[in-house]
Amino acid sequence: MNRYQFEDSISAYLDNELSIADRKIFEEYMNVNIDAKSLVNEIQLTIESTKNFKNIKTSKEFMPNLFKRIEFEKNRPSKKIIDKPSSTLFGFTPFYAILMSALVISFIYIGINFWPETILMDNSKQLFTGDIKAPTLDLDDLNTKTQSTVLVSKEAKNDSSDTTIINKKNLRLNNKVKFVKDQK
Amino acid sequence: MNQQLQNLSMVHSAVDNDFKFSDEELILRFQQGDEQSYIELVNRYRDRLINFIYRFVNDVESAEDIVQDALLKVYTHKHYYKNIAKFSTWLYTIAGNLAKTELRKKKTRKVTNLSQMGPEDKDYELTSNEPATDKAALNEYLEKRIQIAINKLPLHFKTIIILREIQELSYEEISKIVDVPLGTVKSRINRARLQLQKELKDIKIGDSI
């Protein structure tokens, strides 16, 4: 046992919480070291001295004063916060309502500006460099007023299964895409 | 209502109360509206509390005010007590927190309390009805020296020493009051005792007795 272990065990020894074996080791150390024994004795005497501290008693006015305070506490009017009624907009004062509105509008504006372009793109914008429009699936809808340049033959029109009608004349793919039929 | 409370306290002191309710039973009865139970609790704890608080603030008047604050809180917040822990644990926790608050206020005010002076200076003398004897004078001297040493301890050591040595509470109860694990309480007690001895190094208690 070293000094640190000894000091850590002093309270346990004084409170009779050490096991028999630990107590034996502790007492052996104490008997060998005079300083250690002196320290334990002093701590023990200090503890006994605290038991002899004078007992302080409350004064005669203690109970009457306590009752007065209880009475005061009972009869104290509840704290009411009387606020001048102010006009509010959805619970916000005018100043905060304006501030919140400005923040919401600015968020919407920023959101629109940072929105992905692909989503905002107009349907009339061409995906290919050619004049080809996406072939319409509804072959019956051949209104000449539409902007579609897809030409549908009468036979194709009757053939409802053929949905890949492309105007080859207007096809400009810059040689990026070649149809199987065109490959020689 | 004030008169009613005072009448109840007089009735209580006049009756020889052989059957004693436990503290927990009394607080439960008080929660149900029995004010006499509250008075019984006050009478049981007022002296213990003032001794506890006095060791923190070293001033009997301040200690009495703080004890009243604690008991007033018990009155106004009776429903906050739940029968999970002992009533004394709850009460000591309230009183301890109020004492620590007062200590913090004192620090900011920087007021020197006469009772904190050494025995060679004039300081507060505890009133006693017993005739002064050499032993009594010696005990009083030792008490003041130990109290000065306790005052020098850090707050967490001071609290534990007061609860253990002076209030003689168990480790388990101290653990609940200061809200630290049991092992920590035992460790702190040990270190607090060692540090207290360092502060008392200049006098040897064994020689005096």
Side-chain angles (χ1 to χ4, degrees):
Chain A
M1 179 175 262
N2 57 35
R3 182 165 182 89
Y4 299 109
Q5 289 170 331
F6 172 78
E7 284 184 356
D8 286 344
S9 305
I10 289 176
S11 280
Y13 173 77
L14 292 173
D15 293 333
N16 293 321
E17 289 187 351
L18 287 178
S19 63
I20 297 170
D22 289 338
R23 194 178 183 86
K24 194 177 175 186
I25 295 168
F26 186 90
E27 285 172 350
E28 278 172 8
Y29 184 91
M30 214 168 45
N31 292 332
V32 171
N33 294 287
I34 300 169
D35 290 339
K37 192 169 186 178
S38 171
L39 178 62
V40 171
N41 288 339
E42 284 175 1
I43 291 175
Q44 199 160 16
L45 287 169
T46 303
I47 293 170
E48 284 171 13
S49 297
T50 58
K51 307 279 185 273
N52 294 327
F53 278 9
K54 269 191 182 161
N55 276 326
I56 300 167
K57 293 199 178 290
T58 52
S59 64
K60 290 177 187 175
E61 294 81 30
F62 180 85
M63 291 300 270
N65 287 340
L66 178 63
F67 294 146
K68 275 183 200 168
R69 292 181 70 175
I70 289 171
E71 202 57 37
F72 177 77
E73 202 63 36
K74 274 183 178 178
N75 297 330
R76 192 167 68 159
S78 57
K79 288 181 184 177
K80 290 181 184 177
I81 301 167
I82 301 168
D83 287 327
K84 196 166 62 172
S86 58
S87 57
T88 59
L89 182 67
F90 298 109
F92 291 107
T93 58
F95 173 72
Y96 284 111
I98 293 168
L99 190 65
M100 288 298 290
S101 303
L103 281 170
V104 168
I105 291 167
S106 60
F107 276 129
I108 292 170
Y109 178 75
I110 292 167
I112 289 169
N113 281 334
F114 282 106
W115 204 257
E117 289 183 359
T118 52
I119 296 171
L120 293 174
M121 197 182 297
D122 190 1
N123 285 332
S124 62
K125 198 172 180 179
Q126 296 181 11
L127 291 172
F128 300 104
T129 54
D131 296 331
I132 299 299
K133 297 294 177 185
T136 58
L137 296 178
D138 190 1
L139 297 173
D140 292 330
D141 187 15
L142 287 175
N143 191 348
T144 55
K145 290 181 182 179
T146 63
Q147 294 180 3
S148 173
T149 56
V150 173
L151 297 175
V152 180
S153 64
K154 288 182 183 177
E155 292 79 11
K157 185 180 173 182
N158 294 328
D159 183 6
S160 62
S161 64
D162 188 1
T163 58
T164 57
I165 300 168
I166 298 171
N167 189 345
K168 293 184 183 177
K169 285 184 182 177
N170 293 329
L171 180 63
R172 287 185 206 170
L173 299 175
N174 294 332
N175 296 323
K176 288 182 183 175
V177 177
K178 285 186 181 176
F179 292 101
V180 173
K181 290 179 185 176
D182 293 336
Q183 289 176 1
K184 292 183 180 177
Chain B
M1 181 60 92
N2 191 9
Q3 194 59 40
Q4 284 180 7
L5 282 167
Q6 287 189 348
N7 291 341
L8 280 171
S9 68
M10 284 159 58
V11 166
H12 162 80
S13 59
V15 170
D16 184 17
N17 198 1
D18 287 332
F19 177 72
K20 283 192 175 178
F21 290 106
S22 67
D23 294 341
E24 289 72 35
E25 284 168 341
L26 284 173
I27 186 70
L28 185 64
R29 288 164 71 88
F30 176 48
Q31 285 173 341
Q32 290 165 354
D34 181 17
E35 302 234 339
Q36 194 166 353
S37 300
Y38 172 74
I39 292 165
E40 172 66 24
L41 285 169
V42 169
N43 285 324
R44 283 185 189 182
Y45 279 96
R46 58 180 181 163
D47 289 340
R48 283 163 65 174
L49 281 180
I50 199 169
N51 277 284
F52 172 57
I53 301 292
Y54 175 77
R55 300 299 159 193
F56 279 97
V57 300
N58 302 129
D59 178 46
V60 176
E61 279 182 23
S62 297
E64 205 166 274
D65 285 341
I66 293 168
V67 171
Q68 286 191 354
D69 288 339
L71 292 170
L72 184 64
K73 264 204 171 171
V74 168
Y75 190 93
T76 55
H77 294 76
K78 59 185 175 186
H79 294 295
Y80 280 58
Y81 171 75
K82 305 294 174 194
N83 204 5
I84 304 165
K86 289 172 70 175
F87 171 75
S88 59
T89 304
W90 185 55
L91 184 57
Y92 272 103
T93 307
I94 294 170
N97 289 337
L98 289 170
K100 286 171 194 172
T101 306
E102 181 62 24
L103 278 178
R104 262 182 253 125
K105 284 181 190 174
K106 266 190 172 181
K107 271 185 184 174
T108 55
R109 271 187 249 136
K110 291 181 185 174
V111 171
T112 304
N113 196 320
L114 290 174
S115 64
Q116 287 174 341
M117 292 181 183
E120 57 275 10
D121 296 316
K122 190 180 176 184
D123 53 0
Y124 184 85
E125 294 196 6
L126 302 170
T127 55
S128 171
N129 294 328
E130 298 170 5
T133 60
D134 288 340
K135 195 175 178 185
L138 178 65
N139 284 339
E140 198 171 320
Y141 172 78
L142 287 173
E143 178 181 333
K144 285 170 189 167
R145 294 296 293 175
I146 293 171
Q147 183 62 54
I148 291 166
I150 289 174
N151 289 341
K152 290 181 182 178
L153 295 175
L155 188 60
H156 56 294
F157 282 172
K158 186 177 180 177
T159 308
I160 285 220
I161 282 281
I162 291 170
L163 287 170
R164 178 68 183 170
E165 316 298 6
I166 299 170
Q167 296 296 299
E168 297 180 20
L169 298 180
S170 66
Y171 285 128
E172 289 78 14
E173 196 159 2
I174 295 171
S175 167
K176 287 175 187 169
I177 290 169
V178 298
D179 197 23
V180 296
L182 189 62
T184 307
V185 171
K186 291 183 179 180
S187 166
R188 275 190 196 175
I189 280 279
N190 194 57
R191 287 187 288 146
R193 283 170 173 169
L194 286 167
Q195 193 157 341
L196 187 63
Q197 280 314 118
K198 282 180 188 170
E199 300 294 341
L200 289 166
K201 222 169 27 174
D202 55 341
I203 63 161
K204 286 188 177 179
I205 298 172
D207 291 341
S208 303
I209 293 173

